[in-house]
Amino acid sequence: GAINNVLAISRDISERRDKDAELLATANRLRHLATITEETRAPESPEEIMVCATRLVGEYFNASRCAYAAVASDANHFTILYNYLAPGAVSTVGTYELDTFGAKTVATLLRGQTLVISDTQGDTDIPDGTSRFSAIDIRAVICVPLLKNGRLLAMMALHSATPRFWSEEEIQLFEAVAESCWAYIESAASQARLRESETRFRTMADL
């Protein structure tokens, strides 16, 4: 009645399992992206789009703050125009100098790359920017830049008041949302310019 030997055939499914997990993560990311972009499509003005987008993104990521900033032509001064605030968070609306956030921050954004920091006080790559991040209560951040013709035009960022590890899925989803928002903003701005042009033409025709 004893078992002396066993003959078994096994198949390693770890690769398939990893692919399934990756597909599931991608599906979840696309679903969340669709939800956010669908709601940001309704507003007609660029201002309304960003107010809506920063709120939806900030709430979804459970961030302390979600901000949108326009960058001046000198590529150094930027103005945070809108920011969603979680309870207890302080608004950062205002104008800042980009180089005060550290050389790594400047170089990353000017290359058009997403800036990802899990702990601004523990990141040895930004010692010259630590105090500036701390001054506006940022311990972790994802910042997506918008470049056109090599020029930094705008930025969209997620802030956390505590250290936070940003997963690759979170980073990719936020990048996709930022790209979608900028596409809607450009479309809304173009339509606004078209309406303004039509109004001027009608005025001239009436005169």
Side-chain angles (χ1 to χ4, degrees):
I3 299 176
N4 295 320
N5 296 282
V6 174
L7 176 63
I9 297 176
S10 63
R11 178 180 298 171
D12 186 351
I13 64 169
S14 57
E15 183 177 353
R16 189 184 70 190
R17 183 192 59 202
D18 292 343
K19 288 183 178 179
D20 288 345
E22 183 179 349
L23 288 173
L24 180 60
T26 300
N28 288 333
R29 184 164 63 250
L30 291 174
R31 186 174 67 253
H32 294 312
L33 173 62
T35 300
I36 293 173
T37 54
E38 182 64 29
E39 293 195 42
T40 54
R41 186 182 293 132
E44 295 185 354
S45 71
E47 294 79 10
E48 291 174 331
I49 291 174
M50 290 317 304
V51 169
C52 178
T54 52
R55 176 183 61 80
L56 290 171
V57 174
E59 290 176 344
Y60 172 75
F61 284 96
N62 194 27
S64 301
R65 191 184 298 112
C66 181
Y68 172 80
V71 181
S73 57
D74 63 3
N76 185 40
H77 291 81
F78 67 93
T79 301
I80 296 179
L81 302 172
Y82 320 101
N83 60 186
Y84 157 82
L85 301 174
V90 179
S91 175
T92 55
V93 169
T95 301
Y96 305 85
E97 293 182 13
L98 185 59
D99 57 14
T100 62
F101 289 86
K104 173 191 174 182
T105 299
V106 175
T108 300
L109 296 175
L110 290 181
R111 285 196 303 265
Q113 298 175 338
T114 300
L115 176 72
V116 181
I117 301 176
S118 298
D119 186 357
T120 56
Q121 294 186 17
D123 193 327
T124 57
D125 289 339
I126 57 163
D128 50 346
T130 299
S131 60
R132 196 69 185 94
F133 280 111
S134 298
I136 54 178
D137 200 25
I138 298 176
R139 284 294 299 271
V141 60
I142 305 177
C143 185
V144 180
L146 171 64
L147 266 68
K148 280 193 175 180
N149 299 321
R151 180 191 160 201
L152 181 61
L153 296 181
M155 300 179 290
M156 190 171 180
L158 279 176
H159 300 163
S160 174
T162 58
R164 175 172 174 173
F165 172 77
W166 306 100
S167 69
E168 191 62 31
E169 182 179 351
E170 289 176 318
I171 297 169
Q172 291 179 1
L173 175 58
F174 186 56
E175 288 174 334
V177 169
E179 290 293 336
S180 295
C181 288
W182 283 321
Y184 290 143
I185 288 174
E186 182 61 30
S187 175
S190 296
Q191 292 176 12
R193 289 192 295 269
L194 179 60
R195 288 194 295 270
E196 182 180 352
S197 177
E198 290 174 343
T199 299
R200 287 200 303 267
F201 180 77
R202 282 197 299 270
T203 300
M204 288 189 294
D206 290 342
L207 290 174

